[in-house]
Amino acid sequence: MQLTGQVDAAAARTAGMDAGKLQALADFVHETYVAPGKLPHMQLLVSRDEQPLLAVRSGLARATGEPLAGDALYRIASMTKPVTSVAFMMLVEQGLVALDDPVAKVLPEFAGLAVGADGKGRMQRPMLMIDLLRHTSGLTYGLQRQTAIDARYRDLGLDEFQQKRSPDEFIAALASLPLEFSPGERWNYSVSTDVLGVVVERLSGLDLERFFREHIFDPLGMADSFFELPEDRVERMTDAWQLGPDRTLSLYERGARSGWRRPLTLRSGGGGLVSCMADYHRFARMLLRGGELDGVRLLKAETVAAMHANHLPGGKDLSSLSSSMFSEADYAGVGFGLGFATDLVTQEYYWGGVFSTFFFIDPVERLIGIFMTQHFPSSIYPVRGELRRGIRDAIVDRRGNPD
């Protein structure tokens, strides 16, 4: 099993990066995770000033033995959340909604929700749109496995990527359950961004697939990102794997028979997209450039800056506010903005998906890192932190303050 691709040494020198350290990082990830079978495959891209410096891949796309191709398609799961957040902020800029609007203004089903497992508590203030963006809504995920409320989420299948419910039925099911806490009191990783996707649909009059296609994907040239896998892309879809109790990998889903081929009624704004490395790099470049790419502007620069600022109450970090057992971020020294975790020291902002995909953007050092694989769950290996540290360690020409 070989590592395909390498560092562009000349581009790395021009960008002020150590080519040897970047190559060593790629070798480390391959030798530590893919070669011994801990991860089925991986694709890694690092760019600075939007220029790719490192583009490598290794492993098998499918159990049938096909090597991972550069245009492979992945279930990006919660890396969908930043896209939904961008869509919502586009509507904010259009004046259709505000961050401090009550969610019930668009979703009247959410007026007067109960709070607490016994259903006897009441919200101390209304749930606001900003609560959906920063996960302070009081909603939860069934996968948290901590409370009687998240057990009901599991019973009702409210975490599922391909819901059989309509958007209205999904909101009604959520509204029938109490919140974990009153909005704004704590942080809990949740279906908040799925709810935000329904907000986008109701405000725009478009389903989320069409909104993304017309207002984000087509303008940015993201031709290989979608909620429903087209038949002409099936051969590019990777298999997904899961780690069992015996610590061995088994197939979670075959790419050729993917559930992402099914027609959808509800499109999961929190986790439903399929995408590829090239497309997500274009999305990340748009964010790094402050909302514009190749002459197409989706958001104002000040809007993007606000999105990756820390919006947690009191300027606190996740370690002081989180009640989550699971999320896609560390907690100490990490804030949360309008769709992203944000490192309060380095200013990097980032998120990942439950199949172990990951991206980060450093707006100071002008860096983008994207990691693609298909390993469930994402909490097993420390590869995300290793990648961020390794890439920062490869900086020769530092533009921000030293760590």
Side-chain angles (χ1 to χ4, degrees), residues 354-366:
V354 77
F355 293 106
S356 301
T357 59
F358 176 72
F359 84 103
F360 82 89
I361 298 171
D362 186 329
V364 177
E365 301 294 350
R366 308 289 295 170

Side-chain angles (χ1 to χ4, degrees), residues 243-306:
L243 192 70
D246 60 354
R247 308 297 290 180
T248 61
L249 284 178
S250 61
L251 273 173
Y252 175 93
E253 184 191 65
R254 292 189 181 277
R257 300 176 182 175
S258 176
W260 272 260
R261 298 170 70 178
R262 299 188 193 109
L264 297 172
T265 302
L266 171 66
R267 291 148 187 91
S268 170
L273 284 176
V274 169
S275 192
C276 65
M277 180 66 80
D279 273 16
Y280 215 87
H281 189 230
R282 290 191 65 79
F283 180 72
R285 287 175 59 204
M286 177 275 295
L287 292 169
L288 181 65
R289 291 170 64 94
E292 175 272 335
L293 182 66
D294 295 341
V296 175
R297 179 164 292 281
L298 301 190
L299 292 170
K300 297 175 183 176
E302 53 265 36
T303 299
V304 175

Side-chain angles (χ1 to χ4, degrees), residues 232-248:
D232 63 358
R233 311 293 210 288
V234 169
E235 292 305 313
R236 293 166 53 191
M237 185 71 163
T238 49
D239 288 352
W241 299 75
Q242 61 187 344
L243 192 70
D246 60 354
R247 308 297 290 180
T248 61

Side-chain angles (χ1 to χ4, degrees), residues 325-387:
M325 178 177 290
F326 171 82
S327 85
E328 302 291 349
D330 295 327
Y331 291 165
V334 176
F336 207 89
L338 308 178
F340 316 95
T342 182
D343 190 300
L344 300 180
V345 176
T346 67
Q347 299 181 48
E348 294 170 359
Y349 56 103
Y350 59 91
W351 206 241
V354 77
F355 293 106
S356 301
T357 59
F358 176 72
F359 84 103
F360 82 89
I361 298 171
D362 186 329
V364 177
E365 301 294 350
R366 308 289 295 170
L367 284 164
I368 295 170
I370 306 174
F371 181 72
M372 296 291 198
T373 187
Q374 298 284 260
H375 177 283
F376 176 90
S378 60
S379 56
I380 302 301
Y381 303 118
V383 62
R384 294 171 174 178
E386 292 165 343
L387 286 169

Side-chain angles (χ1 to χ4, degrees), residues 112-240:
L113 294 179
V115 176
D118 61 6
K120 295 180 179 179
R122 290 293 177 264
M123 294 188 289
Q124 298 303 301
R125 67 156 174 79
M127 185 192 300
L128 306 179
M129 296 297 179
I130 193 172
D131 292 314
L132 297 177
L133 287 153
R134 67 185 182 184
H135 293 280
T136 54
S137 63
L139 297 165
T140 191
Y141 266 134
L143 57 79
Q144 297 293 357
R145 296 185 177 274
Q146 296 189 93
T147 70
I149 297 172
D150 65 46
R152 288 292 295 139
Y153 275 57
R154 292 195 299 278
D155 292 342
L156 294 173
L158 293 172
D159 295 6
E160 294 173 3
F161 295 115
Q162 280 93 31
Q163 289 279 324
K164 295 180 181 178
R165 298 175 176 87
S166 69
D168 290 351
E169 290 168 341
F170 175 70
I171 295 301
L174 288 173
S176 72
L177 301 175
L179 300 175
E180 294 278 9
F181 51 84
S182 184
E185 289 184 352
R186 299 205 301 275
W187 187 90
N188 189 49
Y189 193 41
S190 71
V191 298
S192 288
T193 318
D194 290 282
V195 174
L196 195 71
V198 179
V199 169
V200 170
E201 291 187 337
R202 289 197 185 180
L203 286 171
S204 67
L206 303 175
D207 66 59
L208 214 53
E209 170 75 42
R210 185 175 171 189
F211 187 98
F212 284 5
R213 179 67 49 207
E214 293 182 4
H215 297 282
I216 299 176
F217 295 159
D218 283 351
L220 294 183
M222 296 171 62
D224 288 317
S225 299
F226 21 69
F227 287 101
E228 298 176 28
L229 179 65
E231 287 302 310
D232 63 358
R233 311 293 210 288
V234 169
E235 292 305 313
R236 293 166 53 191
M237 185 71 163
T238 49
D239 288 352

